Every structure is written in C-alpha cells, then in structure tokens.
C-alpha cells in the first residue's frame, strides 16, 4: 500500500491531483499538508473530507518540526510537493516570500524525507517535485520551431521562476549527494476546475460575467502552452507508477495560444453561452506590460510520451468549454 504525502493539496493542481489519485487507486492513503494561504481552500476537497484514506494537516512546509512530525505519524513513501507561492505578479511584489516558501520549503521537505527514509529501502520511495516550464526562461516569438527540452539550461527570468529553478537544483543535489530517488516535473500553464481567480482564464471568466475590464499585459502577444489540469494529474501519476528515479519530465499539451487570442476566444464563447451582448472583446483593457514578461513558453514533451506512454487527452477547446461551464456553475 502506498502512503503519499501531498503538499499544497488545497490549491488548484494539488486538489485535482488528490481527487484523481483517490479515485484511481483504492489502496492509496494520502495526507495533505497545506498552510492554507490565500490560494488554498478546503472546499476544494470537500468531497473526500470524510474518506478514511485521506487526512489533512494544516502546516507550513518550511516548519522543520511539523514536517518531521508528519513523516513520523504517516510514514509516507511517496512525496509530491505542490506547495508553493505560484503567482508571478505576486513574486514581483514579494520575492522574499517566494524564496522562503518555494526554496526553503522544498529543502525542509527534502531534509525531512532524507532523515526519515535513511534506514528504509529507497526502491519504495519517491520524491516528486512539481516544477514549472518557467524555469527555462523565454523563447522568441519569431522562432515557433524552438522548444525547451529537459536538457535546456535553467534561465529563469521572474522571482517566481528563479525560486522554482533554485528548488529544482536542491532536489537534484539530494539525488546526487544522498542518492534520493527523485523526479522533477516541469509543466506548462494549467487550466481547469478550482483554479484561483487571479490566474488568466478564471480571471477572464469572472470579470466578463461581471462586465468588468479584463486586463491584458502589453499587446497580448505573449504565448503560453496550455494543458488541462486533469492531463497534468495523469502525467504525475504515470511518473509515480513508472518513471525511473532521477529523471526530469516536461509535461505539456502542445497547445500554444497568445494571451489575446485566448481571452478573445473565452469572451466569444461566454457571450454565446450566456446570450449577453455586453460580453465582448470591448472589455479587454491593455495595461503596461509586466517587467521581464516572458514572450513564449513551448515544451518538447517527447520524453514523457516515449518513456511513459503518456499523452495529453483533453483537446484545448473542449477543456476550455468545460472550464467555462464549471465557472458558470452549470
Ligand atoms: P496554488 O497557488 O493554487 O496552490 C498552492 C497551494 O500551496 C495552496 O493550497 C497554498 O495554501 C499552499 N501553500 C503555499 N505556501 C505553503 C507553505 N509554506 N506550506 C504549505 N502549503 C503552502 O498553486 P497551483 O497552481 O496549484 O500550483 C501547484 C504547483 O504547481 C506549484 O508548485 C506551481 O509552481 C506548480 N505549477 C503550476 C502551474 C500552473 O499553471 N498553475 C504550472 C506548472 C507548475
């Protein structure tokens, strides 16, 4: 039986992952450790709150004593570290918080795992670090042929991306120094149910429904590679089940869209669904571009496709429609 520690499970991706795992693996036990910052909500996990296979501990991953106590009480053999400050705009305002949570928090968890697992068989252990494609930096808009592979150099450009890249290097140092069985996932932009409304897709939907201006940085030409969160969750599960320890995997859906075209698509779709003529691209408000705004992310996902036979399954427009319906409460 697997005992899993998922951190940040009350957030967007972590909650989707816990729901996915409990549904997919009847024998699994999961303890969710989350500090419940502004981004976390236990309402995301209300449907499993009474499941005897699930437990919740409110704690901060930077708290060494609390993490050690979790390992002692639950003896997890798989750790999936989602807990992070995750919003780039906020990282520009408070970079120290991002270094504290994303770097120190990861090191604290790694150290708790190392100390707890020292006299156990590493074949049964795995530490999965949920990283991001943003650690690779930015691709030029005029070179759509370029993609990041797992071998691309780390070149983060925002404090958020720098904190995630730094955490990645600590994870790799635990692999190389202590032989810890780790994997790192670097996923592109996620969308889907329960995403906090500061992020582009739910922000656009909620503002449009309220007929409020929808801010777009600069001319909106920045390109992001979008993946439905359920496809991301299946990829993490495939890594836990079948990946060799030590490997890094890019995860994406090869669905690149400029922000402006994504927002326009959402507005057109919402307008038709609600029959509301006030929802239109006229709501778009171009605002001063974010400092250091990455132009484009694009991921080569052939490694996970080839090694683990994982493939994205949710077509972008279909996933977007279901996300819009979810936000409408339909
Ligand atoms: P989120 O902001 O929705 O959730 C983060 C969760 O972590 C929240 O529940 C929060 O309460 C918790 N948390 C924050 N600080 C904590 C601390 N010190 N101790 C314990 N818990 C803490 O984030 P998300 O979008 O679900 O992202 C999850 C992970 O996936 C992050 O590591 C992020 O870097 C990564 N990621 C996100 C995306 C994306 O598009 N959202 C893409 C690639 C990678």
């Amino acid at each position: 039986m697997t005992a899993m520690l998922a951190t940040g499970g009350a957030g967007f991706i972590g909650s989707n992952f816990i729901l996915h795992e409990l549904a997919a693996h009847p024998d699994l036990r999961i303890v969710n450790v989350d500090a419940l910052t502004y981004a976390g909500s236990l309402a995301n996990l209300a449907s499993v709150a009474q499941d005897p296979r699930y437990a919740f501990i409110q704690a901060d991953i930077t708290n060494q004593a609390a993490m050690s106590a979790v390992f002692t009480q639950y003896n997890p053999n798989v750790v999936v570290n989602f807990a992070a400050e995750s919003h780039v705009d906020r990282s520009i305002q408070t970079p120290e918080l991002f270094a504290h949570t994303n770097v120190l928090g990861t090191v604290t968890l790694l150290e708790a795992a190392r100390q707890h697992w020292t006299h156990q068989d590493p074949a049964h252990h795995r530490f999965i670090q949920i990283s991001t494609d943003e650690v690779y930096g930015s691709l030029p808009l005029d070179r759509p042929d370029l993609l990041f592979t797992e071998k691309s150099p780390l070149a983060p450009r925002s404090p958020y991306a720098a904190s995630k890249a730094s955490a990645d290097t600590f994870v790799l140092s635990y692999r190389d120094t202590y032989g810890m069985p780790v994997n790192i996932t670097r996923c592109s932009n996620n969308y889907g149910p329960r995403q906090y409304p500061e992020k582009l897709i739910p922000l656009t939907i909620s503002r449009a429904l309220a007929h409020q201006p929808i801010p777009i940085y600069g001319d909106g030409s920045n390109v992001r590679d979008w993946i439905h969160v359920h496809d991301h969750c299946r990829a993490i599960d495939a890594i836990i089940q079948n990946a060799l320890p030590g490997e890094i995997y890019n995860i994406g859906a090869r669905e690149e869209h400029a922000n402006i075209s994504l927002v326009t698509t959402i507005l057109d779709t919402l307008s038709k669904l609600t029959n509301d003529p006030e929802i239109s691209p006229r709501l778009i408000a171009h605002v001063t571009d974010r400092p250091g705004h990455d132009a484009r992310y694009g991921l080569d996902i052939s490694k996970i496709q080839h090694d683990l036979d994982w493939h994205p399954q949710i077509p972008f427009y279909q996933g977007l429609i279901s996300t819009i319906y979810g936000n409408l409460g339909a």
Side-chain angles (χ1 to χ4, degrees):
M1 183 194 280
T2 298
M4 183 185 290
L5 164 58
T7 69
F12 165 48
I13 303 173
S15 62
N16 277 285
F17 179 73
I18 288 173
L19 297 177
H20 175 275
E21 290 296 281
L22 288 173
H25 304 290
D27 279 350
L28 182 66
R29 285 181 292 123
I30 302 184
V31 56
N32 168 22
V33 167
D34 197 299
L36 297 181
T37 68
Y38 78 95
S41 169
L42 289 182
N44 289 337
L45 291 159
S47 63
V48 295
Q50 304 306 323
D51 189 323
R53 299 172 299 152
Y54 168 76
F56 172 69
I57 304 279
Q58 183 170 2
D60 190 315
I61 59 163
T62 65
N63 182 331
Q64 209 176 348
M67 291 311 104
S68 180
V70 166
F71 272 84
T72 302
Q73 185 177 353
Y74 292 94
N75 194 20
N77 55 327
V78 173
V79 176
V80 190
N81 183 25
F82 295 96
E85 290 293 335
S86 69
H87 194 47
V88 176
D89 288 357
R90 288 177 188 260
S91 82
I92 295 168
Q93 304 305 321
T94 56
E96 306 94 325
L97 174 62
F98 281 66
H100 183 76
T101 296
N102 299 358
V103 187
L104 189 62
T106 300
V107 177
T108 305
L109 265 183
L110 284 164
E111 193 50 22
R114 182 175 83 85
Q115 293 192 1
H116 193 80
W117 287 346
T118 295
H119 299 297
Q120 300 183 11
D121 181 356
H124 301 303
H125 298 150
R126 200 59 66 93
F127 188 107
I128 313 276
Q129 174 70 3
I130 305 301
S131 186
T132 165
D133 61 351
E134 301 191 31
V135 298
Y136 296 125
S138 182
L139 291 167
L141 285 179
D142 59 357
R143 288 292 308 275
D145 55 311
L146 294 182
L147 295 172
F148 292 123
T149 74
E150 291 82 354
K151 292 192 166 67
S152 297
L154 296 179
R157 299 176 74 251
S158 71
Y160 164 67
S163 69
K164 296 295 288 187
S166 174
D168 283 11
T169 63
F170 269 104
V171 172
L172 295 176
S173 81
Y174 270 65
R175 175 193 68 183
D176 298 335
T177 306
Y178 306 112
M180 184 177 283
V182 303
N183 292 107
I184 294 175
T185 67
R186 295 186 178 143
C187 190
S188 62
N189 279 42
N190 283 226
Y191 68 97
R194 294 180 287 280
Q195 188 164 30
Y196 193 77
E198 67 189 349
K199 302 281 169 64
L200 184 61
I201 290 179
L203 179 85
T204 301
I205 297 169
S206 62
R207 287 196 161 241
L209 290 172
H211 301 155
Q212 290 171 345
I214 295 152
I216 292 270
Y217 283 125
D219 62 4
S221 61
N222 307 65
V223 170
R224 300 292 179 261
D225 179 359
W226 291 93
I227 182 172
H228 194 279
V229 65
H230 290 164
D231 275 334
H232 185 188
C233 293
R234 281 195 311 102
I236 299 167
D237 187 69
I239 289 166
I240 295 170
Q241 304 302 325
N242 295 318
L244 290 175
E247 296 294 324
I248 299 171
Y249 291 97
N250 287 348
I251 304 170
R254 304 294 305 118
E255 279 287 358
E256 293 189 24
H257 300 274
N259 289 345
I260 189 77
S261 89
L262 170 63
V263 168
T264 306
T265 302
I266 294 172
L267 292 172
D268 289 345
T269 309
L270 260 182
S271 169
K272 285 189 194 115
L273 286 175
T274 59
N275 212 7
D276 181 346
E278 286 193 56
I279 299 178
S280 83
R282 287 190 302 277
L283 290 173
I284 293 173
H286 291 274
V287 299
T288 310
D289 207 355
R290 177 162 79 199
H293 201 177
D294 291 340
R296 174 180 161 246
Y297 305 131
L299 284 179
D300 179 338
I301 56 168
S302 52
K303 180 174 172 182
I304 190 168
Q305 292 185 307
H306 177 266
D307 288 7
L308 303 181
D309 197 22
W310 171 89
H311 306 273
Q313 290 181 347
I314 302 176
F316 180 68
Y317 196 65
Q318 183 186 314
L320 191 60
I321 295 271
S322 70
T323 303
I324 291 172
Y325 267 115
N327 278 265
L328 287 173

